[in-house]
Amino acid sequence: MSNHFQPRSLKRSRYVPLNLEDYDISPTNGFLPSGQPVRRLSDPYYEPWEQIMDRFNQYLLAHHIRRQVRKMPVLDTSKLTSQAEYQRAFMILSFMAHAFVWGRNGAASEPAAEFLPASISIPWVATAEYLQLNPVVCCAAVCHWNWQILDPGAKDPMDIDNLGTLYTFSGSMDESWFYLVTTAMEAKSARGLNAILDAIIGVEDNNIARVTHALNEIAHSLRDCNRLLERMYERCDPYVFYWKIREFLAGWENMAEAGLPYGVLYEGVDDTDTFSLDNWQSLIRRFRKYAGGSAAQTPLLQAFDIALGIKHYPTGEKGLQSSVDDARRRLQQRGVPEPPTANSYLVRMRDYMPGGHRRFLEDLASICRIREYVLLVCSDAFLQVGNEQDPRVVMRQSYNACVDLMKSFRDKHIMIVTRYILAQAKNGPSISAPTVTPVSSHIIPRAAHEQAMAQKPTAFQPGGRLGGDSLPADPTMYPQTNAHAAKQTISVSAGQSSSHQPSSPAQSTAKNARLARKVDDESVVRGTGGTDAIQFLKQVRNETAHTRI
């Protein structure tokens, strides 16, 4: 069989072009909405939410956010009138929820909240189900649906210097800029998304010139992304990001070290009103664990990975990029989906994307054969050593330029994580944080605990509703004769466990139990998504580099 690409062998009848708008993707703004996000929900019914958001930063600064949220009524989401209103509802509920959980506001004795009141959890879960993503802060909430155009008459309305945020946790310029860098990337990459679909048509038509032009357009978008990422340093200070902003973006998965060993309970959801303290294990199973906001949640980078055939593998494992034989085999299987990327974290992050965007990635993987096409067209050995005027060589160079730009972007991302997270965590704050007094750091007799519960209301009363922010001490911590119970294990990181007694939620409020803290040289610094951030990013970067042809 000839090494040359044989267009006659393709099963072209199974190809159906993708339409971006079918997936709630804007041809002009990419994964952002085509129009500006809604600034206020139209029905006065939702004024309790809007009134809190009117003074959100003031409430958070004054330690009033939990008090205000507890006073909110449980509102029904049926009065939301459009996709844009559901997006706004999800966004503002996300800000309120994470402010409630993490909003200690410098109060040393105030732990992270281990439950969300029904006034947030019920409508938040409902809007999340409508938008088909997880109820937790995500890239869509803080970047895709949290922007405004400052001057609609500007030459480029979506230029980063013409954008503002609607909300931040800290009220700082640094946090706004952190979000806007991603928002501007999404808008600038609409050109690249259109080019991906054009390249797929070029492959179908065996049109080398069209594929090459599309690859050059993808490269243009990737250069824009690189330039925007470099601008992060302009207006987002690493100290402010790590010590004042980052914790609010964290989720409740792998966050035992930050005060949430079990996750968070969503009151009024998953039958949280029917448990009893006599059945602790049943209660534990009702906690929800979600990763926090992460760059891995933007569908943009995963779309470029799929388009360029960049494969990622489980962290710590090595894999191989496709060969010429693999490419030939896959090009014969039109309409057969590409197996999802083997890195389970990246696959899971799609659950934090709106449903349409997630489906786009899945459908794109089933039809995109750009790398396979370049491999087969450029498989002759003589094309590797020269002949720069050959259209096939030019196409390969255009493809490799895209891969190089993806690697460059990931190099820059690693540098930012190193400067904004690792360096801050290793060096510690410039101003010492107050000592956190543990709520309970010793084993107490059950009788004494029950007496304390009778005298002072706790978060949970047997057979009752949620009433506070933290759980009572874990019943498994009381002296017991069950030797097996004393040897329980709990997860401490992704894929790892530690054979020690599980600490109670109350005990998790011990000194330095928060995400933003100084760590020693041997400690793992986790991203807000709960991963070992630097190890994950370095492997993703190296896998990208190995994709060159």
Side-chain angles (χ1 to χ4, degrees), residues 142-267:
V142 297
C143 298
H144 294 185
W145 306 329
N146 183 34
W147 55 274
Q148 57 182 315
I149 292 174
L150 303 181
D151 178 8
K155 180 179 179 181
D156 180 3
M158 296 303 295
D159 183 83
I160 188 171
D161 293 311
N162 194 45
L163 297 177
T165 53
L166 299 178
Y167 300 106
T168 63
F169 292 102
S170 64
S172 68
M173 176 182 71
D174 305 74
E175 186 176 353
S176 287
W177 190 251
F178 179 73
Y179 299 153
L180 290 175
V181 167
T182 297
T183 302
M185 282 183 197
E186 300 284 0
K188 293 297 182 184
S189 295
R191 179 175 182 173
L193 295 177
N194 285 289
I196 289 171
L197 302 189
D198 197 48
I200 294 171
I201 295 173
V203 170
E204 292 295 321
D205 294 339
N206 189 29
N207 188 327
I208 292 176
R210 186 168 188 172
V211 173
T212 301
H213 179 265
L215 288 169
N216 291 337
E217 291 290 287
I218 294 171
H220 189 283
S221 280
L222 290 172
R223 289 189 190 94
D224 283 341
C225 288
N226 273 268
R227 283 192 288 266
L228 284 165
L229 192 59
E230 288 173 348
R231 295 191 64 184
M232 182 67 73
Y233 304 100
E234 290 181 16
R235 304 177 202 176
C236 183
D237 182 85
Y239 177 88
V240 175
F241 172 76
Y242 185 80
W243 296 103
K244 305 299 180 183
I245 299 169
R246 181 172 175 262
E247 183 171 57
F248 288 107
L249 300 176
W252 13 100
E253 180 178 64
N254 294 329
M255 287 296 161
E257 56 201 14
L260 297 177
Y262 304 111
V264 169
L265 273 174
Y266 286 49
E267 184 187 11

Side-chain angles (χ1 to χ4, degrees), residues 23-36:
Y23 301 92
D24 295 322
I25 301 172
S26 167
T28 56
N29 285 351
F31 292 107
L32 304 180
S34 294
Q36 295 189 62

Side-chain angles (χ1 to χ4, degrees), residues 1 42 45 63 110 171 203 224 263 272 336 364 429 441 459 472:
M1 181 179 293
S42 59
Y45 175 76
H63 304 186
E110 188 177 13
V203 170
D224 283 341
T272 55
V336 178
L364 182 66
S441 59

Side-chain angles (χ1 to χ4, degrees), residues 70-88:
R70 289 192 198 99
K71 292 192 300 185
M72 285 197 320
V74 178
L75 302 181
D76 195 298
T77 59
S78 63
K79 296 181 184 296
L80 298 171
T81 60
S82 65
Q83 176 96 343
E85 288 209 341
Y86 271 96
Q87 291 169 349
R88 175 171 177 79

Side-chain angles (χ1 to χ4, degrees), residues 5-18 198-208 210-211 330-336 366-367 369 373:
F5 181 54
Q6 300 293 331
R8 291 187 301 275
S9 66
L10 294 181
K11 300 178 181 179
R12 296 173 46 145
S13 61
R14 300 180 66 178
Y15 169 69
V16 177
L18 300 184
D198 197 48
I200 294 171
I201 295 173
V203 170
E204 292 295 321
D205 294 339
N206 189 29
N207 188 327
I208 292 176
R210 186 168 188 172
V211 173
R330 189 160 181 256
L331 276 164
Q332 310 310 312
Q333 299 176 327
R334 292 300 180 195
V336 178
S366 73
I367 67 168
R369 305 292 191 273
Y373 180 80

